[in-house]
């Protein structure tokens, strides 16, 4: 009732109680992995406020990344309380993937970006597959070097290289070791062949890595032991079945000197009834073979008529003549040959199976003739 100051203003203040959501970590960068090695991660949702919160919805959208578990809709989260979201990166193919985690609560929403990367991993080995050491004199040794790299982005661990056993010997670096991606690391190892007897010897070598889904990589080894003296190998080459007037892939014949002195040779030739269908397309650069050495010739077939072709490769050397039998086949229309088991006959199951094909072509021709008439 003070007439001078009838009203008095009193300032008021208060500390409001509210909820606050924290996503940890945010953003989420999953560790880089390799194709075939999935990655799982946990993301924490924490109420850092002083009031309880209601988690209305937790969702994840994107490619390659999925949510495997999370809080139920409407979950109450008290002050300082937390819950988890589990995510899974399948890593089924190489490249980058991304997704967004969205959490709705108390009329608000928070989000976090999730990124992941998978690197493709593969191994290149040179030489690979079937490795033929060729003819080697008994008591002598031939060594083949191998180069191994990671020819994709992902690295891998070279765990072991198995011992092939006699007559083969392995020389490799200390294992295991890491092989970096994109060819950044080159691993060298050697395998030697030292036959102790005549004939063909074979063995398998297994290169073991930790590449997902492709841990074991086999190599097939072979060597031909050649006794003392002079020998032509192999005994026979079959150049296969090929359409007439078409040149086959070449195959090699060898003359090995398993003596103690250098050996001269000359007059390499092809003899026999079908000699004109075969040809020597590559000759040795020298006419001498050192002890434990060999000379090689490359032979091809170009049959000019349908049928089996047979001839003989011969070469003279100091003290004698060596020979290798040659064989092949010329094929005509629809691969018709002489029934020696050509590719075309095998593809149909047997030569008689070509009859339905011939009949079908005949019917088709007659239909076309009637249509044109």
């Amino acid at each position: 009732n003070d007439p001078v100051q009838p009203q008095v203003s009193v300032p008021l203040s208060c500390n409001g109680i509210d909820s606050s959501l924290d996503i940890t970590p945010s953003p989420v960068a999953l560790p880089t992995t390799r194709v075939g090695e999935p990655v799982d991660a946990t993301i924490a949702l924490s109420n850092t406020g002083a009031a309880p919160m209601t988690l209305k919805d937790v969702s994840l959208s994107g490619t390659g990344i999925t949510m495997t578990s999370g809080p139920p809709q409407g979950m109450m989260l008290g002050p300082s309380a937390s819950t988890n979201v589990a995510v899974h990166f399948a890593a089924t193919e190489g490249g980058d993937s991304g997704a967004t985690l969205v959490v709705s609560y108390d009329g608000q929403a928070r989000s976090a970006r999730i990124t992941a990367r998978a690197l493709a991993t593969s191994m290149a080995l040179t030489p690979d597959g079937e490795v033929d050491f060729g003819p080697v004199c008994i008591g002598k040794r031939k060594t083949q070097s191998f180069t191994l790299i990671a020819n994709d982005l992902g690295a891998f661990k070279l765990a072991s290289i198995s011992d092939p056993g006699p007559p083969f010997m392995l020389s490799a670096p200390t294992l295991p070791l890491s092989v970096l991606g994109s060819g950044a690391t080159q691993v060298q190892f050697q395998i030697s062949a030292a036959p102790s007897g005549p004939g063909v010897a074979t063995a398998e070598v297994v290169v073991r890595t930790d590449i997902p889904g492709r841990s074991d990589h086999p190599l097939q080894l072979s060597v031909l032991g050649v006794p003392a003296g002079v020998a032509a190998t192999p005994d026979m080459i079959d150049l296969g079945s090929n359409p007439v007037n078409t040149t086959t892939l070449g195959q090699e014949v060898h003359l090995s000197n398993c003596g103690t002195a250098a050996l001269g040779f000359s007059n390499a030739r092809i003899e026999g009834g079908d000699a004109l269908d075969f040809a020597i397309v590559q000759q040795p650069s020298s006419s001498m073979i050192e002890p434990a050495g060999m000379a090689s010739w490359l032979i091809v077939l170009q049959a000019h008529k349908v049928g089996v072709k047979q001839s003989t490769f011969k070469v003279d050397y100091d003290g004698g003549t060596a020979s290798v039998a040659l064989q092949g086949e010329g094929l005509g229309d629809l691969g018709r040959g002489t029934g020696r088991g050509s590719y075309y006959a095998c593809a149909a199951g047997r030569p008689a199976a070509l009859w339905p094909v011939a009949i079908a072509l005949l019917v088709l021709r007659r239909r076309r003739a009637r249509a044109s008439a």
Side-chain angles (χ1 to χ4, degrees):
N1 60 356
D2 186 345
V4 178
Q5 192 176 6
Q7 292 182 342
V8 177
S9 297
V10 179
L12 302 175
S13 65
C14 68
N15 293 324
I17 300 176
D18 201 358
S19 61
S20 179
L21 178 67
D22 183 62
I23 302 176
T24 307
S26 180
V28 183
L30 300 180
T32 298
T33 186
R34 301 182 300 179
V35 173
E37 292 182 328
V39 175
D40 293 287
T42 300
I43 302 171
L45 308 180
S46 303
N47 181 2
T48 58
M53 69 168 57
T54 301
L55 298 177
K56 181 180 179 182
D57 184 57
V58 179
S59 63
L60 187 143
S61 61
T63 57
I65 302 173
T66 57
M67 183 172 65
T68 55
S69 67
Q73 289 185 349
M75 177 181 178
M76 293 292 296
L77 201 62
S80 301
S82 64
T83 187
N84 292 327
V85 173
V87 295
H88 176 79
F89 174 44
T92 56
E93 59 184 25
D96 296 328
S97 295
T100 300
L101 177 70
V102 179
V103 183
S104 301
Y105 70 101
D106 295 349
Q108 304 180 61
R110 291 285 302 276
S111 64
R113 184 64 179 167
I114 306 172
T115 57
R117 171 175 290 182
L119 302 179
T121 309
S122 64
M123 179 187 74
L125 184 61
T126 306
D128 198 1
E130 297 181 356
V131 181
D132 185 3
F133 285 75
V136 177
C137 298
I138 293 173
K140 300 299 181 180
R141 177 180 299 186
K142 184 176 181 179
T143 300
Q144 174 68 58
S145 294
F146 295 80
T147 301
L148 180 150
I149 65 170
N151 62 335
D152 217 321
L153 295 176
F156 61 84
K157 181 177 72 175
L158 176 59
S160 64
I161 303 173
S162 67
D163 185 353
F168 301 97
M169 291 155 287
L170 171 69
S171 176
T174 302
L175 301 177
L177 58 80
S178 295
V179 182
L180 301 180
S182 301
T185 303
Q186 288 193 355
V187 180
Q188 304 279 344
F189 64 93
Q190 293 78 37
I191 297 177
S192 299
S196 58
V200 176
T202 61
E204 182 179 79
V205 170
V206 177
V207 179
R208 179 160 294 172
T209 70
D210 70 342
I211 297 176
R214 291 178 290 175
S215 59
D216 288 351
H217 188 92
L219 289 171
Q220 306 300 328
L221 310 178
S222 62
V223 64
L224 174 62
V226 181
V230 180
T233 56
D235 295 332
M236 185 268 289
I237 62 171
D238 188 341
L239 290 153
S241 301
N242 226 43
V244 294
N245 298 318
T246 302
T247 304
T248 65
L249 294 176
Q251 293 190 37
E252 286 188 328
V253 296
H254 311 283
L255 182 67
S256 297
N257 176 16
C258 294
T260 58
L263 180 73
F265 63 88
S266 62
N267 192 26
R269 60 200 182 275
I270 295 175
E271 296 181 351
D274 300 311
L276 295 179
D277 291 307
F278 296 88
I280 302 171
V281 295
Q282 185 173 308
Q283 303 265 3
S285 58
S286 171
S287 60
M288 297 293 294
I289 307 175
E290 295 300 319
M294 71 177 182
S296 300
W297 292 261
L298 189 66
I299 311 295
V300 298
L301 167 67
Q302 188 184 75
H304 299 98
K305 293 182 180 180
V306 173
V308 173
K309 308 300 177 183
Q310 294 178 328
S311 292
T312 304
F313 167 85
K314 291 186 176 182
V315 60
D316 300 329
Y317 63 89
D318 298 341
T321 299
S323 62
V324 173
L326 309 178
Q327 182 173 299
E329 182 182 21
L331 301 176
D333 293 340
L334 293 179
R336 285 196 296 270
T338 60
R340 67 187 290 268
S342 69
Y343 166 79
Y344 297 91
C346 292
R350 59 186 182 187
L354 292 173
W355 279 104
V357 179
I359 293 172
L361 289 175
L362 180 60
V363 171
L364 181 60
R365 287 175 181 172
R366 288 180 176 175
R367 287 179 178 174
R368 288 179 176 174
R370 290 173 182 173
S372 61

